[in-house]
Amino acid sequence: MIAKELTVPTNISREAVETLAALKGEPDWMLDRRLLAWRFFEEIPMPTGAEETWRRTRLTGFKLDAVQPFVPERDSRVAKQTDLPAAIQAELATLSTNAGAVVHRDADLLFSSLRPDLAAKGVIFCDLHTAVRQHPDLVQKYFMTQAVTLPDDDKFAALHAALWNGGTFLYVPRGVVIDTPLQGLIALDQAGVGNFSHTIIVAEAGAEVTYLEEMVSLQKRDSQDFHSGIVEIIAQTAARVNYISLQSWGDQVFNFSRERAVVGRDAHVLWVTSQLGSRLTKTFQQADLLGAGASSEMLGVLFATGRQHIDLDTFQRHVAPNTVSDLLYKGALRDRARAVWRGMIRVEPHAQKTNGYQKNQNLILSKQARADSVPGLEILADDVRCTHGVTVSQVEPEYVFYLMSRGLNKEQAEHMIVAGFFEEVLARIPLEGVREKLEAAIGERIGV
């Protein structure tokens, strides 16, 4: 009877939610949250394109009923990072060293480590299922309660909250400074199985941490893959959080995510996002500056080719006075690719002395590529400075001609122009290995 109850469903359903929670041995409070999210998922309609946030992105070709919610866990953990499969080791080589790593293949934990001196100071860095078992009070306090709250208007986020599986929990106690980056890797491998990774970063007052998280596909195929993720960043008073996300899914992946940072008094969040992969990406990113003196810096790199469609929806929300937000997103597109960026700065009535800025620039490398940029300001205070800038342009032929006249071929000339275009963003990324990886990826897409 028990075996029958825990038979893994092949379709997304309430039964799948209950079975997953049972297989993981989760407490009642987590099951209750999953089932509430499932109720929202059932009630929220699938986006049709009539909604303002989806008006430029259609789900053509996407089949939710073809997604298998999860498969039984495979126990393939290794004791050392050097014992990981070669393809995964190659991705982790972005950093020459780390203070700890959490590696997932699909939802299975392959490897987890943390420098002993950091563990002795109370740092927690592990997969989220382990955190639920070993640190239930902390997870219950922060899981979808302060940053990304349980959504009743986003079907994919509600589905994620019901079926989350795999993910990372990073907790840095008050005053602890981690001087070496931590590293995470989420790798898709099994065809047709949904990936619902969930990342939680909590930095208590005065803590400092840098976390690099990469998302890759180990297999390329024609069939549909699916990822629905959530990222929650909580930076308390005077904390410093650098979160760097590198997304390079395969061209078969439909990728949906909701990400939010809440920034306390005098705290700072540096948030870097790189969008290089997927067939279609729809991401909502929000930085809430909740305490006086809070600041956020959001940097984005996008390069789409083929028929890729990347849609980024950003929101900088100033709640307290004397807060600063700075956003710089740059994208390059070639072939028939399309990019959409919708950015909003909102200043609440009491957020006087706000300084908000956003800039989105796009470089079009073919006649069929297209970029839509929609900036916005919503200002409810009267003593603020908020500005934005948007450009969409093609590579000037005379620039290419000039470089070719100096001995470069067309691909090399175009690569130099595109590399220069992205330099303004790359120069602000604090990790050299990340800059080098992005520069190599840009060169590869140009053909150099």
Side-chain angles (χ1 to χ4, degrees):
M1 183 67 179
I2 294 176
K4 182 178 179 181
E5 290 177 351
L6 296 184
T7 299
V8 176
T10 57
N11 296 312
I12 290 173
S13 62
R14 179 188 172 101
E15 180 189 4
V17 175
E18 294 173 333
T19 302
L20 177 60
L23 286 171
K24 297 298 183 181
E26 292 179 349
D28 290 342
W29 65 265
M30 181 58 78
L31 175 59
D32 290 343
R33 292 192 188 185
R34 287 186 183 274
L35 292 178
L36 178 58
W38 175 256
R39 193 188 80 189
F40 288 155
F41 168 75
E42 288 189 304
E43 294 174 352
I44 301 169
M46 186 70 75
T48 63
E51 308 86 352
E52 179 58 30
T53 54
W54 288 88
R55 189 159 64 87
R56 297 167 180 83
T57 296
R58 301 297 178 94
L59 299 177
T60 305
F62 174 64
K63 298 178 180 179
L64 185 58
D65 58 3
V67 177
Q68 185 172 354
F70 63 94
V71 295
E73 184 176 352
R74 298 168 294 177
D75 188 7
S76 49
R77 301 184 190 183
V78 299
K80 297 184 296 184
Q81 186 168 317
T82 53
D83 293 334
L84 289 165
I88 290 178
Q89 288 193 52
E91 298 295 340
L92 291 173
T94 303
L95 298 182
S96 58
T97 185
N98 61 52
V102 174
V103 178
H104 286 89
R105 182 172 59 196
D106 299 317
D108 299 333
L109 177 66
L110 291 188
F111 175 72
S112 180
S113 69
L114 177 63
R115 215 169 62 197
D117 64 304
L118 296 177
K121 294 178 180 179
V123 175
I124 301 170
F125 184 51
C126 61
D127 68 285
L128 189 51
H129 293 293
T130 295
V132 170
R133 294 192 302 270
Q134 297 183 1
H135 310 281
D137 292 343
L138 279 175
V139 177
Q140 190 170 5
K141 180 178 180 180
Y142 292 112
F143 182 89
M144 299 190 75
T145 60
Q146 298 186 27
V148 179
T149 53
L150 192 60
D152 58 5
D153 62 348
D154 183 334
K155 193 172 186 69
F156 292 108
L159 178 62
H160 168 98
L163 284 170
W164 75 268
N165 190 14
T168 303
F169 185 73
L170 169 57
Y171 170 80
V172 188
R174 176 185 295 266
V176 174
V177 176
I178 303 178
D179 55 1
T180 304
L182 297 166
Q183 194 167 9
L185 179 69
I186 303 165
L188 288 184
D189 192 15
Q190 297 189 70
V193 179
N195 184 282
F196 299 91
S197 64
H198 194 113
T199 299
I200 301 176
I201 303 168
V202 180
E204 287 195 335
E208 297 184 18
V209 65
T210 295
Y211 180 47
L212 167 65
E213 187 167 59
E214 300 188 59
M215 289 147 279
V216 302
S217 293
L218 299 180
Q219 307 287 340
K220 293 188 177 182
R221 45 183 165 254
D222 295 331
S223 60
Q224 168 189 290
D225 284 342
F226 173 72
H227 172 260
S228 176
I230 281 180
V231 176
E232 304 187 79
I233 303 171
I234 298 101
Q236 298 180 5
T237 301
R240 296 288 183 270
V241 176
N242 298 331
Y243 174 64
I244 301 169
S245 169
L246 304 184
Q247 184 272 102
S248 55
W249 297 129
D251 292 341
Q252 76 276 12
V253 179
F254 285 82
N255 174 45
F256 306 91
S257 64
R258 183 168 286 272
E259 306 167 1
R260 186 182 180 200
V262 291
V263 191
R265 179 171 55 85
D266 294 326
H268 178 75
V269 170
L270 169 63
W271 190 347
V272 180
T273 182
S274 165
Q275 301 285 345
L276 300 177
S278 80
R279 175 176 173 181
L280 179 146
T281 284
K282 176 65 176 179
T283 295
F284 295 91
Q285 297 175 317
Q286 180 171 338
D288 282 5
L289 306 176
L290 303 183
S295 60
S296 69
E297 185 178 2
M298 302 172 72
L299 306 176
V301 173
L302 180 156
F303 202 132
T305 62
R307 298 185 68 90
Q308 285 182 280
H309 185 109
I310 310 293
D311 184 339
L312 304 178
D313 198 307
T314 66
F315 190 18
Q316 300 152 258
R317 181 167 171 254
H318 295 257
V319 178
N322 296 293
T323 51
V324 177
S325 70
D326 182 12
L327 181 145
L328 174 61
Y329 277 31
K330 291 201 172 194
L333 302 102
R334 66 182 312 169
D335 307 320
R336 299 178 65 86
R338 183 176 180 185
V340 178
W341 173 78
R342 294 178 69 251
M344 174 64 70
I345 298 176
R346 177 181 170 90
V347 182
E348 302 293 353
H350 299 294
Q352 303 292 353
K353 305 296 183 181
T354 282
N355 187 349
Y357 181 67
Q358 58 181 198
K359 181 165 72 171
N360 175 239
Q361 294 182 307
N362 298 278
L363 196 58
I364 307 300
L365 304 176
S366 67
K367 293 182 179 179
Q368 294 79 25
R370 175 178 170 180
D372 296 337
S373 294
V374 187
L377 302 175
E378 188 173 358
I379 301 174
L380 304 178
D382 56 13
D383 186 8
V384 303
R385 181 180 184 274
C386 292
T387 55
H388 58 69
V390 168
T391 61
V392 178
S393 61
Q394 296 180 331
V395 174
E396 295 292 340
E398 56 265 34
Y399 296 169
V400 177
F401 175 79
Y402 174 81
L403 292 172
M404 291 179 65
S405 71
R406 295 301 187 269
L408 301 181
N409 61 36
K410 184 176 180 180
E411 289 77 15
Q412 291 170 329
E414 193 173 66
H415 174 247
M416 182 172 290
I417 293 169
V418 174
F421 170 75
F422 281 115
E423 180 61 25
E424 184 182 5
V425 178
L426 298 181
R428 293 166 64 177
I429 297 175
L431 301 181
E432 182 180 359
V434 172
R435 294 195 298 269
E436 292 175 349
K437 189 165 193 171
L438 290 175
E439 288 169 353
I442 291 167
E444 181 180 348
R445 281 159 175 74
I446 293 296
V448 177

